[in-house]
Amino acid sequence: MSDTRQLLLDGAIAALRDKGITGASARTIAAAAGVNQALVFYHFGSVDALIQAACREAAAQQVESYRPLFRSVASLHDLVVLGQRLHAEQRSAGNVTVLAQVLAGARHNPRLVAAAREALTLWIDEIAANLERLLEGNPLAQVADTGCLARAVAASFIGIELYEGADPDGARSAFAALEQLSALTEILDDLGPVARNALGARLRRHHPRP
Amino acid sequence: MSDTRQLLLDGAIAALRDKGITGASARTIAAAAGVNQALVFYHFGSVDALIQAACREAAAQQVESYRPLFRSVASLHDLVVLGQRLHAEQRSAGNVTVLAQVLAGARHNPRLVAAAREALTLWIDEIAANLERLLEGNPLAQVADTGCLARAVAASFIGIELYEGADPDGARSAFAALEQLSALTEILDDLGPVARNALGARLRRHHPRP
DNA sequence: GTCTATAGAGGGATAGAC
DNA sequence: GTCTATCCCTCTATAGAC
C-alpha cells in the first residue's frame, strides 16, 4: 500500500468529516491529504470510488478498535453508556459523522450505496453480537430479534448524530431517553423468575416469534 | 403569496427529494418549478434561504395533515403502525427524505441549521403530545420524559429513512424491532396494578425522576 | 508516480433589458 | 416581476510533461 494511497484515504475521511458529503471534492480531499488533486483519479479512478474505499477502511478500523470495549460491556446500561462515549469521542474523530454523510449521499448516488451498506453492516454485526450476549435470558430476547434490534440501534445512532448538528441539547435528551429504555429492559432481567416467566408468556402471546 | 414564490417552494422540495442536498441547486430547483433560475435570487436572495423557507413550509403542512391521524391513535402499537404508514407514504411523497437531506446538509452549512431544527421541532412536538397522551398511567411515563422520548423517536425515524437507501430490507427489520419494543411498553400497561406498582418503584429507584 | 494545465460542465449570483 | 446574458467560481476528469 503506497503512502499516497493511504494519505488520500485519510484525506477523504477528513474532508467528509469537516465539509460533509457536499464539500468532499477531489480538490478538498487532495488538500486535506496534502497531495496533488490528479492523484485521486490516478489511484482510485473517481471521487466516489475513493470515498467508497475510505468509508470501508475507516469503518473496519473503528469497529476493530472498539471491539475490546464492546466485549467488556456487561449490561445493556453499560452498552448505552459505551454508545454515549463512542458518540462523544467520535464527535471529534468524526467517524459517525462520516457514515451519516455517506448514507445521505448514497440516497441519490447509487455508487455510494455499497460503501454505506458495508460500513454500516460492520457496526450492526458488532452490536448484534453483543446484544445477543447481553439479552441472554432476558424476556425481551424472546420477541426482539437481536439482528433487527441492532439495525434499529445503528439507525437511531445515525439519526441522533444528524440531529446533533441541528440541536445539540435535543440530541443529548434523545440519548437520555434511550438510556431510560435500556434501564427498563435491565429491570426486566432483574425480575424474579415468576414475574419474568409471566412477562415472557405475555410477550409471546403478543408477538409470536417467527 | 405570489404564484412564482409557491412554485419555487414546491420546486425546492421536489429537487431535494429527487436529487438530494447535493443536487438541489438554483438551476435544478428552477427547472423543477418550471420558472427562470434568476427568480430564485429575486424572491429568496439565495438558494439556502429558499431551502430554509421550503423546509419550514413543507414540515408545517405535513404535520398539519397528519394531525387528525395522530389524534385518532389509541395505543403505542397504533402509533408505531402509523409511523410505518407515514414512512411508506412518504417514500413516494418524500418529505422525510427531504428533512433527512437538509439535516445532513445542516451538519456543515450553518445557514441550514435553523430550518432543520424548526422543521424537526414541529414533528417532535406532535409526537411528544401524543406520547404524553398514550403513556398516561404507563409505568414508563415515570422515568422516560415524553419530550426526550419524542426526540429519540424522531431521530430514529430520520436514521431509518437514511438506512432505507442503503438497505431496504434492513430498514424494514429495524422498524419491526421498534414495533416489538412498543409492544413491550403496552404489556407494561396491561399488567395488574400490583405488578405495575412494583415495576414503577423499581424504575424510580433505578432512575430518579429529575 | 507525480506534476501542470486545461477542457468542459455546472454552480451562485448579478446586471440590465423588457 | 420576469427574462437573457454573463461573470467568476468550483467541479470531475484527462492529457501530457517530467
Side-chain angles (χ1 to χ4, degrees):
Chain A
M1 175 93 71
S2 87
D3 262 6
T4 303
R5 260 187 82 89
Q6 192 57 51
L7 285 172
L8 280 170
L9 290 169
D10 297 343
I13 298 298
L16 281 167
R17 180 190 59 212
D18 298 337
K19 300 174 190 296
I21 188 71
T22 56
S25 68
R27 288 168 206 275
T28 58
I29 290 172
V35 304
N36 189 280
Q37 171 259 341
L39 294 175
V40 168
F41 303 95
Y42 175 78
H43 284 285
F44 295 92
S46 74
V47 175
D48 288 343
L50 166 54
I51 288 176
Q52 195 168 336
C55 193
R56 255 189 267 254
E57 198 214 36
Q61 187 193 319
Q62 285 295 311
V63 170
E64 197 68 38
S65 83
Y66 275 100
R67 183 157 294 152
L69 277 170
F70 268 112
R71 297 291 162 190
S72 73
V73 160
S75 69
L76 273 177
H77 178 260
D78 288 353
L79 189 61
V80 173
V81 170
L82 173 58
Q84 285 173 314
R85 173 178 159 183
L86 200 147
H87 178 71
E89 287 179 0
Q90 299 297 311
R91 196 172 351 187
S92 40
N95 278 286
V96 179
T97 306
V98 168
L99 192 46
Q101 290 293 318
V102 172
L103 214 44
R107 209 75 180 82
H108 297 91
N109 182 349
R111 302 210 284 175
L112 291 179
V113 170
R117 187 178 54 239
E118 287 166 29
L120 211 45
T121 299
L122 289 175
W123 284 108
I124 288 170
D125 288 348
E126 182 71 19
I127 296 167
N130 285 282
L131 281 178
E132 183 81 37
R133 182 166 60 83
L134 296 172
L135 285 179
E136 211 180 328
N138 190 300
L140 183 62
Q142 296 175 348
V143 282
D145 178 74
T146 51
C148 300
L149 213 49
R151 283 175 175 80
V153 168
S156 301
F157 219 82
I158 296 287
I160 290 179
E161 158 63 31
L162 284 179
Y163 183 32
E164 166 107 21
D167 183 358
D169 288 340
R172 252 190 299 279
S173 75
F175 247 126
L178 293 187
E179 194 179 345
Q180 287 158 340
L181 279 183
S182 81
L184 181 67
T185 59
E186 286 210 325
I187 287 162
L188 296 183
D189 206 28
D190 289 344
L191 289 175
V194 177
R196 184 162 61 235
N197 287 340
L199 196 60
R202 233 183 179 116
L203 282 166
R204 269 191 302 278
R205 209 177 319 137
H206 222 274
H207 271 271
R209 196 159 171 86
Chain B
M1 176 93 71
S2 87
D3 262 6
T4 303
R5 261 187 80 90
Q6 192 57 52
L7 286 172
L8 281 169
L9 289 169
D10 297 343
I13 297 298
L16 281 166
R17 181 190 59 214
D18 298 339
K19 298 172 192 296
I21 188 72
T22 56
S25 68
R27 287 166 157 84
T28 58
I29 291 172
V35 305
N36 189 279
Q37 170 257 341
L39 295 174
V40 168
F41 303 95
Y42 175 78
H43 284 285
F44 295 93
S46 73
V47 174
D48 287 343
L50 166 54
I51 288 177
Q52 195 168 335
C55 192
R56 254 187 268 256
E57 198 215 36
Q61 188 193 319
Q62 285 296 311
V63 171
E64 197 68 38
S65 83
Y66 275 101
R67 182 157 296 154
L69 277 171
F70 268 112
R71 298 290 162 189
S72 72
V73 160
S75 68
L76 274 177
H77 178 259
D78 287 354
L79 189 61
V80 173
V81 169
L82 173 57
Q84 285 173 315
R85 173 179 159 183
L86 200 148
H87 178 73
E89 286 180 0
Q90 298 297 310
R91 197 171 350 186
S92 40
N95 277 286
V96 180
T97 305
V98 168
L99 192 46
Q101 290 293 318
V102 173
L103 214 45
R107 207 74 179 85
H108 298 90
N109 182 348
R111 302 209 284 176
L112 292 178
V113 169
R117 188 179 52 238
E118 286 165 31
L120 211 45
T121 299
L122 290 175
W123 284 108
I124 287 170
D125 288 347
E126 183 70 19
I127 296 168
N130 285 281
L131 281 179
E132 183 82 36
R133 181 168 60 83
L134 296 172
L135 285 179
E136 210 180 329
N138 190 301
L140 184 61
Q142 296 175 348
V143 284
D145 178 75
T146 50
C148 299
L149 214 49
R151 284 175 174 81
V153 168
S156 301
F157 219 81
I158 297 286
I160 291 177
E161 157 63 31
L162 284 179
Y163 183 31
E164 166 108 21
D167 183 358
D169 289 340
R172 253 190 299 281
S173 75
F175 246 126
L178 294 187
E179 193 179 346
Q180 287 158 340
L181 279 182
S182 83
L184 181 66
T185 61
E186 286 208 326
I187 287 163
L188 295 183
D189 208 27
D190 289 345
L191 288 175
V194 177
R196 184 160 63 236
N197 287 340
L199 197 59
R202 225 173 187 124
L203 282 165
R204 270 192 301 280
R205 209 179 318 138
H206 223 275
H207 271 272
R209 196 159 169 88

